[in-house]
Structure formats: C-alpha cells, structure tokens
Amino acid sequence: MAASMIKLVVKWSGQEYEITDLLGTDTVKDLKDVIKMKTGVLPERQKLLGLKLKGKVPADDVQLSELKIKPNTKIMMMGTCEETIAAANEKPADIGEVIDDFDFEETEIQTNQREEFLKKVEKRVKEYKIEVLNEPRPGKKLLVLDVDYTLFGKWTWQSF
C-alpha cells in the first residue's frame, strides 16, 4: 500500500507556505525541515500551532499519518529566523555612548547617607511641631503605626 501524500498550508509572518512534498510516513521533524527550507526558521525555533496528537503537541519522531491531517489543513507557525535574531542583537550605529549602570563603583554614597538629605531631615526634626492628640495613659502601651513611612527623627521608648 502506497503512503498517502500530506498537503497542508503553514501560515507564518503574514504569508502562507504550501507543503505538498511529504508522505504520511514522514515525521514531524521532516515537516519542520521542509518548513525550514521554505521560511529559513530553524526547526528548534519553530512552534507549530494546530498539530495535536491526543490533545498534546506531537514529538518530532511522530509520523504525520498519526496526526490525521486533512488535506489543505492550515497550521500556524511561530518562530524567528536567525537573520532577524542577529539583526536584533546588533548594536545600532546611530546611538551615542551608552552608560552601563553596572560599571559604577560600589563606594558611591547611598541616598540615605547623602549630606543634603541628612540636612533636610535634621531641619525637619528641629522645626516640626508635635501635636499631642491624646495624652499618654499611665501603665498602658503605645502602638505607633507608620504605614506610609512618614515618621522621622530619633525615637526612644519610654514606659508611660
């Protein structure tokens, strides 16, 4: 018995590619090789949408006859050819100097230790007017919630 011919259409990057030179005895890997010849996308970069075997993506060694592909079935391929990947990885010629923020030394002053910020905090601590909303209750504990981190200054804990 002669193997049946497989006819399908692969949609990729806005174009359709007709695949007619495969037999039912060919494998998914063979299909990917034919697609590579037509599109330039390497088999390992191809994801074929629409090919299923028992609800799952078929392995490369599965024969196409097992997939029960109807004539002129359209499947979609996702993948990128090597030339496009290489072009995306090239440094553009029209940009200036790029500063790599990982090149800075570890000895830089952290924000909370910078002189201008320390002076601002010191000034606010000196000038801030404290309003007592409720007088402390002797023998009771005090709970202070600072949800948005607005409290500042030097705090000492006292028992009231």
Side-chain angles (χ1 to χ4, degrees):
M1 180 173 143
S4 61
M5 293 291 290
I6 302 290
K7 293 182 182 180
L8 55 90
V9 176
V10 175
K11 294 173 73 173
W12 175 70
S13 191
Q15 295 184 359
E16 293 186 353
Y17 299 90
E18 220 174 274
I19 311 289
T20 58
D21 45 356
L22 290 172
L23 300 173
T25 56
D26 289 322
T27 63
V28 173
K29 173 74 168 114
D30 297 326
L31 171 61
K32 288 181 176 182
D33 290 338
V34 171
I35 293 172
K36 184 215 179 269
M37 289 189 307
K38 294 189 180 259
T39 64
V41 178
L42 295 176
E44 57 268 15
R45 295 205 184 276
Q46 297 174 15
K47 181 173 184 180
L48 302 176
L49 307 173
L51 289 184
K52 297 282 184 197
L53 179 66
K54 298 179 183 176
K56 296 183 180 179
V57 177
D60 284 348
D61 61 348
V62 173
Q63 287 188 353
L64 296 177
S65 60
E66 294 180 50
L67 302 177
K68 298 179 176 62
I69 298 172
K70 295 177 183 169
N72 297 318
T73 296
K74 289 186 179 183
I75 62 171
M76 187 178 296
M77 180 187 70
M78 291 175 47
T80 307
C81 56
E82 298 303 302
E83 295 81 24
T84 305
I85 294 170
N89 287 330
E90 285 182 15
K91 181 180 177 183
D94 60 343
I95 63 171
E97 181 184 357
V98 177
I99 298 173
D100 187 355
D101 57 350
F102 288 113
D103 288 343
F104 289 113
E105 295 293 322
E106 293 289 331
T107 59
E108 288 192 20
I109 300 172
Q110 293 189 4
T111 306
N112 64 346
Q113 299 298 322
R114 291 178 58 183
E115 183 74 26
E116 65 268 23
F117 296 131
L118 291 173
K119 284 184 179 182
K120 283 182 182 181
V121 170
E122 186 178 332
K123 179 183 175 192
R124 285 188 181 164
V125 168
K126 285 180 183 176
E127 295 177 1
Y128 191 78
K129 181 183 173 210
I130 298 174
E131 294 180 35
V132 177
L133 300 177
N134 294 310
E135 289 296 322
R137 298 178 296 166
K140 299 294 181 179
K141 294 184 178 183
L142 173 68
L143 173 65
V144 178
L145 299 176
D146 186 17
V147 178
D148 61 355
Y149 305 104
T150 55
L151 296 178
F152 54 88
K154 295 179 182 175
W155 296 91
T156 58
W157 294 99
Q158 301 173 342
S159 61
F160 293 101

